[in-house]
Amino acid sequence: MENEQLAISNEVVTNQTIEEQTTNNKEDDSLDAVIAKAMEKHAPSDVEPEKTAPEVQKTALPEQKESVPEAPEAPEKRIDPISGRELAPIKAPASLTPALREKWSKVDPQFQQYWADRERDIATKLNDTAEERKLAHEIKEITAPYEPILRQFGVSATAHIKELFNLSHSLNTGTPQQKAQIIYNLINHFKPDAETLGGLFNGKPVQQQPAQQPVNVQSEVERILAEREEQAVQARGESAIAKFSNDPSNEFFEDVKVMMGKAIDSGFVTGGTEDELLANAYKFACNHHDEIRSILEQRKATQPVQQVVQQPVQQPVKSVKPSLGSGKSVARPQTAISMDDAIETAMKKHGWNQ
């Protein structure tokens, strides 16, 4: 009996447990459903479904061409603010190299004016101080042989020159007593030979002067004529160089004048006249100057081809020396210099063949 009651009670408990689990499951299902409905109710209506990123359309890029640097624009023309006329271009300074002068036209006009004014001021200053620099050079040449003695006594050249000038001024403007004192100090300091000095005071010469040789009139005339002709030829050479350097077609003269002097001095170029000799030397120097030769070749390549006009053949000049008198040849001394020597001497004078 007791066993039956236990079995019934266990069955009742089991049934209750199953019913509770079923109820719990139903509550869980209903809770999930309520939450889902609430989310659907409050979800925003304008939210669009997530879209996938569109594929990037691959397009072929155009081939990149090599960029060519554009030429710099030329500077604006200079206009006179008063007259309104166009001002002439500023000439490139001769101190610039040929390659830099080729770029001068592309430089700003204000900078061109500044550079030109600066070069002019320097040239003016050098011209104003030319005499002072010449005097300093002459004094240096005079005092150079005596530098060791001056250093031995610890005296500078300028201080010694000042001392000598003061001595000369005192001897020329001082009183007889002052002059006697100066001479006494000199004798006492340098201690000359007393016997010789006494003989000089008594009118006895120290050494007989050699008799003068008679003057050879013919040789003296030839020497004078040679000097005059040399001066005339050198003047012609100076004039030819000045004319050649001022010719605008010889724009590179300042750059190659040293090489021209060396070419003429070495005999690499010749010419029948002064102008021809200078032109040949200029052409020779330009062809052997790498920078100038490159510029001339570039200019020649950019110029249009022109028809060559044949020039009449000129007769060679027999002599470049001027004739004197009425057409008759005059004998010249053998010491007269030639035209080549005159040009060479003129260039040496300016230091162009050093």
Side-chain angles (χ1 to χ4, degrees):
M1 189 68 177
E2 291 179 1
N3 293 332
E4 290 179 359
Q5 289 180 354
L6 288 173
I8 292 170
S9 61
N10 290 333
E11 184 177 358
V12 171
V13 172
T14 303
N15 291 334
Q16 290 179 354
T17 303
I18 293 172
E19 289 178 359
E20 289 177 358
Q21 292 177 355
T22 303
T23 304
N24 292 333
N25 291 336
K26 288 181 180 180
E27 292 178 357
D28 294 339
D29 293 341
S30 60
L31 181 59
D32 293 340
V34 170
I35 293 173
K37 289 180 180 180
M39 293 181 65
E40 291 179 359
K41 181 179 180 180
H42 295 283
S45 58
D46 56 348
V47 176
E48 296 181 358
E50 185 179 356
K51 296 181 180 180
T52 58
E55 296 182 359
V56 179
Q57 185 179 1
K58 297 181 179 180
T59 57
L61 297 175
E63 296 181 357
Q64 296 182 354
K65 298 181 180 180
E66 296 182 357
S67 60
V68 179
E70 297 181 357
E73 297 181 357
E76 297 180 358
K77 297 180 179 180
R78 300 189 309 134
I79 305 298
D80 188 356
I82 299 177
S83 63
R85 296 179 180 178
E86 180 181 351
L87 298 176
I90 302 174
K91 186 178 180 181
S95 60
L96 297 178
T97 61
L100 292 177
R101 287 203 299 270
E102 285 294 298
K103 303 176 182 179
W104 179 256
S105 60
K106 301 176 183 178
V107 177
D108 184 85
Q110 292 183 353
F111 184 79
Q112 288 183 347
Q113 188 65 49
Y114 169 78
W115 192 285
D117 294 343
R118 181 173 177 269
E119 291 287 323
R120 185 184 64 254
D121 294 341
I122 293 175
T124 302
K125 190 66 175 178
L126 291 175
N127 186 41
D128 294 341
T129 59
E131 292 296 329
E132 298 177 3
R133 290 183 285 110
K134 181 181 178 182
L135 177 61
H137 181 70
E138 292 176 352
I139 293 177
K140 186 176 181 181
E141 287 185 342
I142 293 173
T143 59
Y146 309 103
E147 286 293 336
I149 300 177
L150 294 175
R151 285 196 300 267
Q152 182 179 356
F153 290 98
V155 181
S156 65
T158 53
H160 190 57
I161 291 173
K162 183 178 180 180
E163 182 182 357
L164 293 177
F165 272 112
N166 291 333
L167 179 63
S168 175
H169 178 74
S170 300
L171 289 173
N172 284 284
T173 61
T175 62
Q177 293 78 10
Q178 292 174 342
K179 296 177 181 179
Q181 184 65 43
I182 294 173
I183 295 175
Y184 170 77
N185 293 335
L186 292 174
I187 294 174
N188 190 37
H189 176 76
F190 293 102
K191 293 180 173 56
D193 181 66
E195 183 179 355
T196 304
L197 187 61
L200 290 173
F201 277 111
N202 295 326
K204 183 180 179 180
V206 177
Q207 185 178 0
Q208 297 293 333
Q209 297 292 333
Q212 296 183 353
Q213 298 293 332
V215 178
N216 190 334
V217 178
Q218 182 178 358
S219 61
E220 185 67 15
V221 171
E222 291 180 353
R223 184 186 64 80
I224 294 174
L225 290 176
E227 289 181 354
R228 289 181 179 179
E229 183 170 358
E230 180 178 354
Q231 294 176 357
V233 176
Q234 287 183 359
R236 287 174 56 187
E238 292 278 355
S239 177
I241 292 174
K243 178 182 176 182
F244 188 86
S245 62
N246 293 327
D247 190 347
S249 61
N250 305 320
E251 58 178 308
F252 301 112
F253 175 79
E254 293 295 331
D255 303 292
V256 299
K257 60 186 180 182
V258 175
M259 191 180 298
M260 289 174 60
K262 292 181 179 179
I264 295 175
D265 189 17
S266 303
F268 288 126
V269 293
T270 57
T273 62
E274 292 92 341
D275 295 338
E276 183 179 352
L277 177 64
L278 291 172
N280 293 339
Y282 178 77
K283 183 178 180 181
F284 175 87
C286 289
N287 289 336
H288 288 79
H289 194 291
D290 296 337
E291 194 172 329
I292 296 177
R293 184 177 66 252
S294 176
I295 292 174
L296 294 177
E297 290 176 353
Q298 292 177 1
R299 291 181 182 179
K300 186 176 181 180
T302 56
Q303 290 179 353
V305 180
Q306 298 180 355
Q307 186 177 1
V308 179
V309 180
Q310 186 175 3
Q311 299 293 336
V313 179
Q314 297 181 355
Q315 296 295 330
V317 180
K318 295 182 179 180
S319 175
V320 298
K321 295 181 180 179
S323 60
L324 302 177
S326 58
K328 296 182 180 180
S329 61
V330 180
R332 295 297 181 195
Q334 295 180 356
T335 55
I337 64 173
S338 64
M339 180 268 297
D340 291 358
D341 294 335
I343 297 293
E344 180 182 341
T345 304
M347 289 194 165
K348 284 182 178 179
K349 180 180 179 181
H350 297 283
W352 295 347
N353 60 340
Q354 300 298 327

